[in-house]
PDB file of all heavy atoms in Angstrom:
ATOM      1  N   SER A 231     144.414 117.044  75.824  1.00 90.00           N
ATOM      2  CA  SER A 231     143.541 117.686  74.912  1.00 90.00           C
ATOM      3  C   SER A 231     142.265 116.753  74.711  1.00 90.00           C
ATOM      4  O   SER A 231     141.233 117.193  74.308  1.00 90.00           O
ATOM      5  CB  SER A 231     144.198 118.083  73.541  1.00 90.00           C
ATOM      6  OG  SER A 231     144.744 116.922  73.014  1.00 90.00           O
ATOM      7  N   TYR A 232     142.493 115.503  74.896  1.00 89.00           N
ATOM      8  CA  TYR A 232     141.353 114.496  74.703  1.00 89.00           C
ATOM      9  C   TYR A 232     140.220 114.801  75.572  1.00 89.00           C
ATOM     10  O   TYR A 232     139.091 114.846  75.160  1.00 89.00           O
ATOM     11  CB  TYR A 232     141.846 113.104  74.931  1.00 89.00           C
ATOM     12  CG  TYR A 232     140.777 112.012  74.998  1.00 89.00           C
ATOM     13  CD1 TYR A 232     140.299 111.596  73.753  1.00 89.00           C
ATOM     14  CD2 TYR A 232     140.367 111.530  76.118  1.00 89.00           C
ATOM     15  CE1 TYR A 232     139.270 110.602  73.813  1.00 89.00           C
ATOM     16  CE2 TYR A 232     139.337 110.535  76.181  1.00 89.00           C
ATOM     17  CZ  TYR A 232     138.810 110.092  74.949  1.00 89.00           C
ATOM     18  OH  TYR A 232     137.865 109.170  74.969  1.00 89.00           O
ATOM     19  N   TYR A 233     140.438 115.097  76.828  1.00 86.00           N
ATOM     20  CA  TYR A 233     139.446 115.394  77.865  1.00 86.00           C
ATOM     21  C   TYR A 233     138.827 116.808  77.585  1.00 86.00           C
ATOM     22  O   TYR A 233     137.651 116.983  77.734  1.00 86.00           O
ATOM     23  CB  TYR A 233     140.071 115.262  79.164  1.00 86.00           C
ATOM     24  CG  TYR A 233     140.338 113.824  79.609  1.00 86.00           C
ATOM     25  CD1 TYR A 233     141.725 113.519  79.705  1.00 86.00           C
ATOM     26  CD2 TYR A 233     139.376 112.979  79.726  1.00 86.00           C
ATOM     27  CE1 TYR A 233     142.005 112.210  79.974  1.00 86.00           C
ATOM     28  CE2 TYR A 233     139.672 111.559  80.053  1.00 86.00           C
ATOM     29  CZ  TYR A 233     141.005 111.232  80.160  1.00 86.00           C
ATOM     30  OH  TYR A 233     141.281 109.944  80.426  1.00 86.00           O
ATOM     31  N   ARG A 234     139.649 117.760  77.094  1.00 86.00           N
ATOM     32  CA  ARG A 234     139.132 119.015  76.788  1.00 86.00           C
ATOM     33  C   ARG A 234     138.113 118.898  75.599  1.00 86.00           C
ATOM     34  O   ARG A 234     137.062 119.530  75.601  1.00 86.00           O
ATOM     35  CB  ARG A 234     140.261 119.975  76.337  1.00 86.00           C
ATOM     36  CG  ARG A 234     141.108 120.472  77.438  1.00 86.00           C
ATOM     37  CD  ARG A 234     142.146 121.321  76.921  1.00 86.00           C
ATOM     38  NE  ARG A 234     143.097 121.580  78.001  1.00 86.00           N
ATOM     39  CZ  ARG A 234     143.704 122.718  78.234  1.00 86.00           C
ATOM     40  NH1 ARG A 234     143.483 123.803  77.453  1.00 86.00           N
ATOM     41  NH2 ARG A 234     144.620 122.809  79.184  1.00 86.00           N
ATOM     42  N   ASN A 235     138.463 118.102  74.635  1.00 87.00           N
ATOM     43  CA  ASN A 235     137.582 117.843  73.445  1.00 87.00           C
ATOM     44  C   ASN A 235     136.268 117.097  73.916  1.00 87.00           C
ATOM     45  O   ASN A 235     135.153 117.423  73.428  1.00 87.00           O
ATOM     46  CB  ASN A 235     138.213 117.062  72.449  1.00 87.00           C
ATOM     47  CG  ASN A 235     139.354 117.840  71.776  1.00 87.00           C
ATOM     48  OD1 ASN A 235     139.370 119.040  71.726  1.00 87.00           O
ATOM     49  ND2 ASN A 235     140.342 117.113  71.186  1.00 87.00           N
ATOM     50  N   LEU A 236     136.359 116.202  74.881  1.00 85.00           N
ATOM     51  CA  LEU A 236     135.121 115.550  75.376  1.00 85.00           C
ATOM     52  C   LEU A 236     134.196 116.501  75.975  1.00 85.00           C
ATOM     53  O   LEU A 236     133.011 116.407  75.843  1.00 85.00           O
ATOM     54  CB  LEU A 236     135.590 114.433  76.389  1.00 85.00           C
ATOM     55  CG  LEU A 236     135.956 113.087  75.870  1.00 85.00           C
ATOM     56  CD1 LEU A 236     136.379 112.178  77.083  1.00 85.00           C
ATOM     57  CD2 LEU A 236     134.776 112.507  75.076  1.00 85.00           C
ATOM     58  N   ILE A 237     134.692 117.421  76.714  1.00 84.00           N
ATOM     59  CA  ILE A 237     133.798 118.403  77.392  1.00 84.00           C
ATOM     60  C   ILE A 237     133.022 119.289  76.356  1.00 84.00           C
ATOM     61  O   ILE A 237     131.880 119.552  76.549  1.00 84.00           O
ATOM     62  CB  ILE A 237     134.673 119.361  78.293  1.00 84.00           C
ATOM     63  CG1 ILE A 237     135.168 118.563  79.518  1.00 84.00           C
ATOM     64  CG2 ILE A 237     133.928 120.541  78.795  1.00 84.00           C
ATOM     65  CD1 ILE A 237     136.094 119.384  80.446  1.00 84.00           C
ATOM     66  N   HIS A 238     133.657 119.529  75.271  1.00 85.00           N
ATOM     67  CA  HIS A 238     133.013 120.389  74.217  1.00 85.00           C
ATOM     68  C   HIS A 238     132.099 119.548  73.314  1.00 85.00           C
ATOM     69  O   HIS A 238     131.344 120.240  72.539  1.00 85.00           O
ATOM     70  CB  HIS A 238     134.076 121.165  73.407  1.00 85.00           C
ATOM     71  CG  HIS A 238     134.873 122.118  74.324  1.00 85.00           C
ATOM     72  ND1 HIS A 238     134.292 123.056  75.087  1.00 85.00           N
ATOM     73  CD2 HIS A 238     136.183 122.259  74.470  1.00 85.00           C
ATOM     74  CE1 HIS A 238     135.168 123.730  75.676  1.00 85.00           C
ATOM     75  NE2 HIS A 238     136.386 123.242  75.449  1.00 85.00           N
ATOM     76  N   GLN A 239     132.086 118.257  73.436  1.00 85.00           N
ATOM     77  CA  GLN A 239     131.147 117.513  72.627  1.00 85.00           C
ATOM     78  C   GLN A 239     129.801 117.441  73.284  1.00 85.00           C
ATOM     79  O   GLN A 239     129.671 117.224  74.475  1.00 85.00           O
ATOM     80  CB  GLN A 239     131.712 116.102  72.411  1.00 85.00           C
ATOM     81  CG  GLN A 239     132.872 115.960  71.620  1.00 85.00           C
ATOM     82  CD  GLN A 239     133.391 114.439  71.448  1.00 85.00           C
ATOM     83  OE1 GLN A 239     132.738 113.598  72.007  1.00 85.00           O
ATOM     84  NE2 GLN A 239     134.535 114.281  70.830  1.00 85.00           N
ATOM     85  N   ASN A 240     128.764 117.825  72.475  1.00 79.00           N
ATOM     86  CA  ASN A 240     127.427 117.821  73.002  1.00 79.00           C
ATOM     87  C   ASN A 240     126.850 116.467  72.993  1.00 79.00           C
ATOM     88  O   ASN A 240     126.994 115.727  71.951  1.00 79.00           O
ATOM     89  CB  ASN A 240     126.505 118.747  72.270  1.00 79.00           C
ATOM     90  CG  ASN A 240     126.939 120.251  72.555  1.00 79.00           C
ATOM     91  OD1 ASN A 240     127.423 120.462  73.634  1.00 79.00           O
ATOM     92  ND2 ASN A 240     126.821 121.110  71.606  1.00 79.00           N
ATOM     93  N   ASN A 241     126.181 115.967  73.963  1.00 78.00           N
ATOM     94  CA  ASN A 241     125.487 114.716  74.027  1.00 78.00           C
ATOM     95  C   ASN A 241     126.416 113.508  73.850  1.00 78.00           C
ATOM     96  O   ASN A 241     125.859 112.466  73.405  1.00 78.00           O
ATOM     97  CB  ASN A 241     124.318 114.660  73.064  1.00 78.00           C
ATOM     98  CG  ASN A 241     123.247 115.728  73.285  1.00 78.00           C
ATOM     99  OD1 ASN A 241     123.008 116.082  74.464  1.00 78.00           O
ATOM    100  ND2 ASN A 241     122.745 116.309  72.261  1.00 78.00           N
ATOM    101  N   ALA A 242     127.653 113.695  74.151  1.00 77.00           N
ATOM    102  CA  ALA A 242     128.600 112.550  74.002  1.00 77.00           C
ATOM    103  C   ALA A 242     128.392 111.544  75.102  1.00 77.00           C
ATOM    104  O   ALA A 242     128.685 110.351  74.972  1.00 77.00           O
ATOM    105  CB  ALA A 242     130.009 113.054  73.938  1.00 77.00           C
ATOM    106  N   PHE A 243     127.919 112.008  76.262  1.00 82.00           N
ATOM    107  CA  PHE A 243     127.734 111.145  77.447  1.00 82.00           C
ATOM    108  C   PHE A 243     126.755 111.908  78.389  1.00 82.00           C
ATOM    109  O   PHE A 243     126.469 113.050  78.194  1.00 82.00           O
ATOM    110  CB  PHE A 243     129.103 110.750  78.174  1.00 82.00           C
ATOM    111  CG  PHE A 243     130.044 111.950  78.254  1.00 82.00           C
ATOM    112  CD1 PHE A 243     129.948 112.727  79.374  1.00 82.00           C
ATOM    113  CD2 PHE A 243     131.075 112.243  77.365  1.00 82.00           C
ATOM    114  CE1 PHE A 243     130.849 113.846  79.472  1.00 82.00           C
ATOM    115  CE2 PHE A 243     131.926 113.219  77.416  1.00 82.00           C
ATOM    116  CZ  PHE A 243     131.840 114.050  78.501  1.00 82.00           C
ATOM    117  N   PRO A 244     126.304 111.206  79.363  1.00 87.00           N
ATOM    118  CA  PRO A 244     125.277 111.798  80.318  1.00 87.00           C
ATOM    119  C   PRO A 244     125.814 113.090  81.006  1.00 87.00           C
ATOM    120  O   PRO A 244     127.028 113.264  81.206  1.00 87.00           O
ATOM    121  CB  PRO A 244     125.017 110.715  81.415  1.00 87.00           C
ATOM    122  CG  PRO A 244     125.531 109.474  80.744  1.00 87.00           C
ATOM    123  CD  PRO A 244     126.612 109.819  79.755  1.00 87.00           C
ATOM    124  N   LYS A 245     124.861 113.904  81.287  1.00 86.00           N
ATOM    125  CA  LYS A 245     125.185 115.237  81.978  1.00 86.00           C
ATOM    126  C   LYS A 245     125.950 115.090  83.214  1.00 86.00           C
ATOM    127  O   LYS A 245     126.874 115.844  83.567  1.00 86.00           O
ATOM    128  CB  LYS A 245     123.856 115.955  82.113  1.00 86.00           C
ATOM    129  CG  LYS A 245     124.000 117.430  82.489  1.00 86.00           C
ATOM    130  CD  LYS A 245     122.611 118.151  82.503  1.00 86.00           C
ATOM    131  CE  LYS A 245     122.806 119.617  82.585  1.00 86.00           C
ATOM    132  NZ  LYS A 245     121.554 120.286  82.558  1.00 86.00           N
ATOM    133  N   LYS A 246     125.541 114.089  84.060  1.00 90.00           N
ATOM    134  CA  LYS A 246     126.302 113.821  85.333  1.00 90.00           C
ATOM    135  C   LYS A 246     127.737 113.515  85.058  1.00 90.00           C
ATOM    136  O   LYS A 246     128.683 114.018  85.759  1.00 90.00           O
ATOM    137  CB  LYS A 246     125.583 112.617  86.044  1.00 90.00           C
ATOM    138  CG  LYS A 246     126.256 112.224  87.294  1.00 90.00           C
ATOM    139  CD  LYS A 246     125.569 111.059  87.982  1.00 90.00           C
ATOM    140  CE  LYS A 246     126.147 109.849  87.386  1.00 90.00           C
ATOM    141  NZ  LYS A 246     125.643 108.671  88.124  1.00 90.00           N
ATOM    142  N   ASP A 247     128.035 112.726  84.054  1.00 89.00           N
ATOM    143  CA  ASP A 247     129.458 112.437  83.753  1.00 89.00           C
ATOM    144  C   ASP A 247     130.218 113.674  83.256  1.00 89.00           C
ATOM    145  O   ASP A 247     131.413 113.853  83.472  1.00 89.00           O
ATOM    146  CB  ASP A 247     129.498 111.321  82.618  1.00 89.00           C
ATOM    147  CG  ASP A 247     128.998 110.055  83.169  1.00 89.00           C
ATOM    148  OD1 ASP A 247     128.886 109.868  84.425  1.00 89.00           O
ATOM    149  OD2 ASP A 247     128.647 109.167  82.324  1.00 89.00           O
ATOM    150  N   LYS A 248     129.466 114.474  82.468  1.00 88.00           N
ATOM    151  CA  LYS A 248     130.031 115.803  81.991  1.00 88.00           C
ATOM    152  C   LYS A 248     130.445 116.678  83.115  1.00 88.00           C
ATOM    153  O   LYS A 248     131.551 117.272  83.160  1.00 88.00           O
ATOM    154  CB  LYS A 248     129.152 116.440  80.902  1.00 88.00           C
ATOM    155  CG  LYS A 248     129.846 117.599  80.221  1.00 88.00           C
ATOM    156  CD  LYS A 248     128.957 118.175  79.149  1.00 88.00           C
ATOM    157  CE  LYS A 248     129.665 119.273  78.411  1.00 88.00           C
ATOM    158  NZ  LYS A 248     128.953 119.655  77.178  1.00 88.00           N
ATOM    159  N   HIS A 249     129.577 116.782  84.067  1.00 91.00           N
ATOM    160  CA  HIS A 249     129.834 117.610  85.252  1.00 91.00           C
ATOM    161  C   HIS A 249     131.015 117.127  86.038  1.00 91.00           C
ATOM    162  O   HIS A 249     131.915 117.845  86.525  1.00 91.00           O
ATOM    163  CB  HIS A 249     128.613 117.788  86.105  1.00 91.00           C
ATOM    164  CG  HIS A 249     127.593 118.687  85.634  1.00 91.00           C
ATOM    165  ND1 HIS A 249     127.762 119.985  85.425  1.00 91.00           N
ATOM    166  CD2 HIS A 249     126.407 118.415  85.262  1.00 91.00           C
ATOM    167  CE1 HIS A 249     126.698 120.536  84.910  1.00 91.00           C
ATOM    168  NE2 HIS A 249     125.730 119.538  84.788  1.00 91.00           N
ATOM    169  N   PHE A 250     131.180 115.754  86.152  1.00 93.00           N
ATOM    170  CA  PHE A 250     132.262 115.137  86.816  1.00 93.00           C
ATOM    171  C   PHE A 250     133.594 115.504  86.081  1.00 93.00           C
ATOM    172  O   PHE A 250     134.576 115.836  86.739  1.00 93.00           O
ATOM    173  CB  PHE A 250     132.102 113.642  86.851  1.00 93.00           C
ATOM    174  CG  PHE A 250     133.287 112.867  87.313  1.00 93.00           C
ATOM    175  CD1 PHE A 250     133.476 112.770  88.748  1.00 93.00           C
ATOM    176  CD2 PHE A 250     134.209 112.257  86.523  1.00 93.00           C
ATOM    177  CE1 PHE A 250     134.587 112.074  89.301  1.00 93.00           C
ATOM    178  CE2 PHE A 250     135.264 111.518  87.048  1.00 93.00           C
ATOM    179  CZ  PHE A 250     135.505 111.495  88.408  1.00 93.00           C
ATOM    180  N   LEU A 251     133.617 115.378  84.721  1.00 91.00           N
ATOM    181  CA  LEU A 251     134.762 115.646  83.875  1.00 91.00           C
ATOM    182  C   LEU A 251     135.160 117.094  84.049  1.00 91.00           C
ATOM    183  O   LEU A 251     136.328 117.521  84.179  1.00 91.00           O
ATOM    184  CB  LEU A 251     134.470 115.251  82.480  1.00 91.00           C
ATOM    185  CG  LEU A 251     135.711 115.367  81.547  1.00 91.00           C
ATOM    186  CD1 LEU A 251     136.763 114.435  81.997  1.00 91.00           C
ATOM    187  CD2 LEU A 251     135.158 114.953  80.138  1.00 91.00           C
ATOM    188  N   ILE A 252     134.161 117.988  84.041  1.00 91.00           N
ATOM    189  CA  ILE A 252     134.459 119.485  84.146  1.00 91.00           C
ATOM    190  C   ILE A 252     135.049 119.730  85.492  1.00 91.00           C
ATOM    191  O   ILE A 252     136.027 120.537  85.586  1.00 91.00           O
ATOM    192  CB  ILE A 252     133.076 120.314  83.977  1.00 91.00           C
ATOM    193  CG1 ILE A 252     132.665 120.204  82.480  1.00 91.00           C
ATOM    194  CG2 ILE A 252     133.340 121.690  84.385  1.00 91.00           C
ATOM    195  CD1 ILE A 252     131.289 120.821  82.226  1.00 91.00           C
ATOM    196  N   GLU A 253     134.595 119.105  86.541  1.00 94.00           N
ATOM    197  CA  GLU A 253     135.124 119.350  87.877  1.00 94.00           C
ATOM    198  C   GLU A 253     136.614 118.888  88.031  1.00 94.00           C
ATOM    199  O   GLU A 253     137.384 119.488  88.547  1.00 94.00           O
ATOM    200  CB  GLU A 253     134.298 118.663  88.929  1.00 94.00           C
ATOM    201  CG  GLU A 253     134.783 118.916  90.335  1.00 94.00           C
ATOM    202  CD  GLU A 253     134.714 120.304  90.802  1.00 94.00           C
ATOM    203  OE1 GLU A 253     133.848 121.100  90.252  1.00 94.00           O
ATOM    204  OE2 GLU A 253     135.581 120.749  91.463  1.00 94.00           O
ATOM    205  N   LYS A 254     136.865 117.703  87.373  1.00 93.00           N
ATOM    206  CA  LYS A 254     138.219 117.158  87.449  1.00 93.00           C
ATOM    207  C   LYS A 254     139.119 118.059  86.575  1.00 93.00           C
ATOM    208  O   LYS A 254     140.349 118.237  86.886  1.00 93.00           O
ATOM    209  CB  LYS A 254     138.274 115.656  86.907  1.00 93.00           C
ATOM    210  CG  LYS A 254     137.461 114.745  87.815  1.00 93.00           C
ATOM    211  CD  LYS A 254     138.126 114.810  89.173  1.00 93.00           C
ATOM    212  CE  LYS A 254     137.284 113.988  90.173  1.00 93.00           C
ATOM    213  NZ  LYS A 254     137.638 114.137  91.505  1.00 93.00           N
ATOM    214  N   MET A 255     138.580 118.610  85.495  1.00 93.00           N
ATOM    215  CA  MET A 255     139.413 119.438  84.634  1.00 93.00           C
ATOM    216  C   MET A 255     139.677 120.767  85.422  1.00 93.00           C
ATOM    217  O   MET A 255     140.911 121.198  85.330  1.00 93.00           O
ATOM    218  CB  MET A 255     138.701 119.794  83.335  1.00 93.00           C
ATOM    219  CG  MET A 255     139.394 120.687  82.458  1.00 93.00           C
ATOM    220  SD  MET A 255     140.798 119.723  81.617  1.00 93.00           S
ATOM    221  CE  MET A 255     139.941 118.619  80.597  1.00 93.00           C
ATOM    222  N   ARG A 256     138.862 121.284  86.152  1.00 94.00           N
ATOM    223  CA  ARG A 256     139.093 122.431  87.024  1.00 94.00           C
ATOM    224  C   ARG A 256     140.107 122.171  88.089  1.00 94.00           C
ATOM    225  O   ARG A 256     141.018 122.969  88.304  1.00 94.00           O
ATOM    226  CB  ARG A 256     137.803 122.916  87.716  1.00 94.00           C
ATOM    227  CG  ARG A 256     136.828 123.613  86.841  1.00 94.00           C
ATOM    228  CD  ARG A 256     135.654 124.191  87.607  1.00 94.00           C
ATOM    229  NE  ARG A 256     134.679 124.731  86.651  1.00 94.00           N
ATOM    230  CZ  ARG A 256     133.439 124.604  86.826  1.00 94.00           C
ATOM    231  NH1 ARG A 256     132.854 124.005  87.792  1.00 94.00           N
ATOM    232  NH2 ARG A 256     132.569 125.148  85.852  1.00 94.00           N
ATOM    233  N   SER A 257     140.070 120.964  88.705  1.00 95.00           N
ATOM    234  CA  SER A 257     141.030 120.603  89.678  1.00 95.00           C
ATOM    235  C   SER A 257     142.418 120.467  88.974  1.00 95.00           C
ATOM    236  O   SER A 257     143.424 120.945  89.610  1.00 95.00           O
ATOM    237  CB  SER A 257     140.675 119.219  90.329  1.00 95.00           C
ATOM    238  OG  SER A 257     139.504 119.310  91.048  1.00 95.00           O
ATOM    239  N   ALA A 258     142.558 119.922  87.783  1.00 93.00           N
ATOM    240  CA  ALA A 258     143.875 119.754  87.132  1.00 93.00           C
ATOM    241  C   ALA A 258     144.346 121.189  86.778  1.00 93.00           C
ATOM    242  O   ALA A 258     145.543 121.455  87.075  1.00 93.00           O
ATOM    243  CB  ALA A 258     143.611 118.943  85.916  1.00 93.00           C
TER     244      ALA A 258
END
């Protein structure tokens, strides 16, 4: 749930990193 929450936080980290995290979440 930590990574799910990170995705929903706006401006928590760069857009490129957010897309990376979203892609890894989809893979999982």
Side-chain angles (χ1 to χ4, degrees):
S231 59
Y232 173 77
Y233 294 107
R234 287 180 191 219
N235 293 337
L236 274 179
I237 289 174
H238 297 307
Q239 290 179 5
N240 292 329
N241 301 324
F243 42 88
K245 194 172 189 175
K246 179 178 89 171
D247 294 342
K248 186 171 185 172
H249 285 296
F250 175 81
L251 187 58
I252 289 170
E253 184 58 34
K254 295 304 173 186
M255 185 67 71
R256 284 185 187 142
S257 294

